[in-house]
Structures are given as C-alpha cells and as structure tokens.
Amino acid sequence: MRKLYFFYGTLGHQPLLAAVLGRSPDLHPARATGYEVRHACDPAGAELGYPLLVPGPVGAEGFLAEVSAAEEEVLDWYEIGYRKDVLAVVDAAGNAVKALAYLPEDRRWTPGRLWALADWAAEKGDLATLAVAEVMALRGQVSSEAAIARYPMIRVRAASRLRAAQPRPATLRRTTVAGDVQVESLTTPYAKFFAVEDYRLRHRRFSGGMSAVLDRAAFISGDATVVLPYDPVRDTVLLVEQFRPGPFARGDANPWSLETVAGRVDAGETPEEAARREAEEEAGVTLGRLIAAPAHYPSPGAKSEYLYCYIGLCDLPETGAGLGGLEAEGEDIRSHRIPFAQMMELIDSGEIENGPLIVIALWLARLREELRKSALGT
C-alpha cells in the first residue's frame, strides 16, 4: 500500500530524492499553508545546510509523491531527528489533501532565514546529491545516527568527486566511455575521517574486452591543497614540521616530517581558498599570488586523494622558527624559514622525503630565476 507524502526542502530536489529512494518518483507541486521552510541553524545562528518545516504565514512550497512501505522505512532511516505528522496541503488543482511530512523535533534546531529550493539547488544540489548517495550506501552497515555523524567528511569526499568529474586531458592515455567500468558491488567497511571502499568490478581491457571480476579496495579521502610559501626577494621558503602517523606506523626512526603547508579542501571551498587558509592557520603567513604546480594523485594504486599544488609568493622576514596549527585539531606545527638552496640540499640528503614538497620544490627550481628577476625588477 502506498502513502502520500509532502516533500519540501532538499527532498523536493528530485535527484536527491532519487538518491534516497533508489528511484525517481513522480512529483506534483503542492503547498502547505500555515507553514514555511527555513534554514536550520545551530544555537549560535550558523546555517547547517538543511531545511526545517515550521509554522509560519509564508506558506511552504513542496511536492506530493506516493511512497511504498519499503520506501517509507528508508525515509524513516534517513530523516533522523525529524518526526512524521499529517499535514493539510493544497495540490496544484486547488484541492485540499492530507499528506505525511517530516517535521523537526522540537527545539533541536533554530529556524533561520527562508529557504529557497532553486537557490539551494543551483549552489549545493549536485554536492548534496552525491553526499546523500554515500550516506544511503551505508544503510544496513551502520545506524542512521552513525551515518549522519560522518556527513561532514562525506561532503568533503563528494566535493572531491565533483571536481574529479571534470574533463581531463587524454592525448596519450585512452579516452573513457560509458560502461568502461562496471561495479558489481561496493561496501564501506570503514569510514571516519577517512574511508575504505571495497569494490568488486570489471573494467575495459586494452584489447577491447572486459576484465574478469576484480576485488579492489581504495583508501578514500578528500582532495587536499599543498602550498610552498616563497619569498622571491629574499630567496627563502617556509617549511613546516610535524609528527606524522604514516611514517610512525611504518616504523620510521624519525616520524617528524618536513613538509609544505597542506590541508583538506573543505566542501564549498576552492583549492586556492584552502591554500590561503592553511597558510594562515599553520604558519601565520598571508599569501599573495598563487602559482599552480602540477596537481597529481600521490598513490593512485590505493588512494583517491588528489593534491592541488601551489607556490605561494609572500613576504618571509627572518623571524626564525615559529609554532602554529589548530589546537582543536591536535596540530603541533613548527615552521622553518630557510634559503631555497638549503631546501634543495635537504632534498639531496634525504632529510626532506615528503613527495608533494619535492614536486613543488622542483617546480620552483624551474621558475625561480624568472620569479626573482620579476620581484627584483632586473
């Protein structure tokens, strides 16, 4: 038996609703009088990215759709923190009908400004739809509370997938077409700050046929930005040093690593914005012009991480080593302002063994003479 539901806010965006239900239901415009849709906010007034249906004079625009009993169970799992109630709504023909809707639990969130579906869809719809698809893939593996707790990092990974979907050069490598990779199953046995995705898949072979079913796992993380602050007048760079669990887990005799400024590209943030933010947070440095160095996958055989690399022109007075990082994120970072030549010596000696830093250092070596001439006016 199917039931009639009134969907508003993000669930009124058909691609996102399809990601939740696993199909695209027929949506029929409707309006709930005596209610309005507003942004959910935390107690400090910060918007949380999702809507609330609350009493109000504006009226709430939405859609009517029929839902099966199995789909109702899916919706109940997804709409954690909301309760169901029966509303009187008016359909497009002016008929008054009764429909179920999900309303926020009392006092859980604070209503903010009015919600506009078209504005939200244009700005965040694609990102939210990808993120919700990952959330729904967790159903049956974790509780809805655990899935929603992972949502901030899921949004970061979704933003990475949106950037990854942009066309890329293919002059030497093969050009992909639909059906080149066929996923038979996907599970996520681990997902916290990072995630692990376990695939059974086939892919197109160079001979033209499809491969046998392969078991492949990938370590999933969001895109990151790395930037090497460089003062072309003084010919100095800024390096950061911090403890790293990767070398420690390998058994490295010295798990403190010399690196570039680096950090995750947050959802809704560009790689360039992340570079500037991280330079301020980690080293207290304000960057000027950013020069793109080669972006790359550091370990494509096992990791989804993609690095956006930059040289950041800036002023680096000789103030010695400094301490930085966000204490709330457990960061303990020491910065070093050293001559370019010393950095290259540290690469030669093996003291610098951080891949992104080496890539950007070599790119800077390629551009250094031109940058110095421009800065010095010679």
Side-chain angles (χ1 to χ4, degrees):
M1 180 180 176
R2 291 182 176 271
K3 295 181 181 179
L4 190 63
Y5 270 77
F6 176 73
F7 293 118
Y8 63 92
T10 58
L11 287 179
H13 185 54
Q14 192 159 30
L16 188 145
L17 182 58
V20 173
L21 296 181
R23 70 177 180 96
S24 294
D26 292 331
L27 297 179
H28 305 281
R31 180 181 179 85
T33 57
Y35 287 89
E36 55 194 24
V37 184
R38 291 189 172 271
H39 284 265
C41 297
D42 65 17
E47 291 182 356
L48 300 174
Y50 43 87
L52 304 175
L53 186 64
V54 296
V58 175
E61 303 294 336
F63 300 91
L64 292 170
E66 290 187 340
V67 171
S68 70
E71 290 168 343
E72 189 173 37
E73 289 184 10
V74 172
L75 286 167
D76 289 345
W77 183 89
Y78 174 73
E79 289 284 11
I80 184 72
Y82 289 74
R83 59 182 174 82
K84 273 189 295 193
D85 204 348
V86 177
L87 299 184
V89 301
V90 179
D91 65 17
N95 300 312
V97 298
K98 299 287 188 180
L100 289 163
Y102 287 94
L103 279 68
E105 293 180 354
D106 293 340
R107 296 182 297 277
R108 186 181 179 99
W109 300 287
T110 301
R113 62 190 173 97
L114 286 171
W115 174 281
L117 176 59
D119 293 344
W120 173 87
E123 182 182 354
K124 300 177 180 178
D126 290 346
L127 172 63
T129 299
L130 275 178
V132 166
E134 183 174 339
V135 169
M136 298 311 298
L138 294 172
R139 185 170 179 263
Q141 301 181 51
V142 302
S143 67
S144 55
E145 291 86 352
I148 296 304
R150 297 176 185 178
Y151 192 68
M153 279 308 304
I154 287 174
R155 290 184 74 247
V156 170
R157 294 194 288 272
S160 300
R161 287 188 164 109
L162 282 178
R163 285 187 291 269
Q166 298 304 307
R168 303 294 298 152
T171 59
L172 178 61
R173 59 180 172 171
R174 74 185 309 277
T175 300
T176 58
V177 297
D180 275 350
V181 182
Q182 300 171 0
V183 177
E184 297 205 349
S185 67
L186 166 61
T187 58
T188 308
Y190 175 87
K192 288 186 179 179
F193 189 82
F194 304 109
V196 174
E197 291 184 349
D198 197 353
Y199 292 87
R200 284 176 55 79
L201 57 79
R202 302 174 185 266
H203 67 78
R204 186 80 59 193
R205 295 176 60 85
F206 291 116
S207 60
M210 297 299 290
S211 71
V213 176
L214 305 172
D215 290 316
R216 294 290 184 266
F219 185 86
I220 309 298
S221 58
D223 293 347
T225 188
V226 291
V227 58
L228 178 63
Y230 175 60
D231 184 334
V233 174
R234 297 179 177 86
D235 197 28
T236 56
V237 297
L238 182 141
L239 307 183
V240 297
E241 178 186 0
Q242 59 185 315
F243 171 82
R244 286 303 199 186
F248 174 77
R250 179 174 175 259
D252 200 300
N254 189 345
W256 272 261
S257 176
L258 292 171
E259 307 175 353
T260 62
V261 169
R264 182 183 67 207
V265 182
D266 288 334
E269 182 180 46
T270 67
E272 293 85 356
E273 290 168 342
R276 297 183 186 282
R277 174 179 54 77
E278 291 290 347
E280 292 278 3
E281 291 176 359
E282 292 191 357
V285 171
T286 300
L287 300 178
R289 176 186 166 201
L290 291 176
I291 301 168
H296 60 280
Y297 290 98
S299 185
K303 296 186 65 180
S304 70
E305 185 179 45
Y306 190 78
L307 301 181
Y308 292 89
C309 302
Y310 301 97
I311 299 163
L313 301 186
C314 60
D315 180 40
L316 292 176
E318 296 178 1
T319 56
L323 302 180
L326 294 180
E327 186 173 344
E329 296 183 5
E331 293 179 333
D332 179 42
I333 298 172
R334 179 167 65 167
S335 60
H336 303 275
R337 303 173 189 221
I338 64 173
F340 171 85
Q342 184 181 355
M343 176 181 66
M344 300 307 287
E345 290 170 359
L346 292 169
I347 292 175
D348 287 341
S349 72
E351 186 168 346
I352 288 178
E353 49 192 352
N354 175 266
L357 173 53
I358 294 171
V359 168
I360 303 177
L362 295 176
W363 198 252
L364 175 56
R366 180 174 177 264
L367 303 177
R368 174 171 164 257
E369 184 176 348
E370 177 185 342
L371 292 173
R372 297 215 71 208
K373 285 181 178 179
S374 177
L376 296 171
T378 59

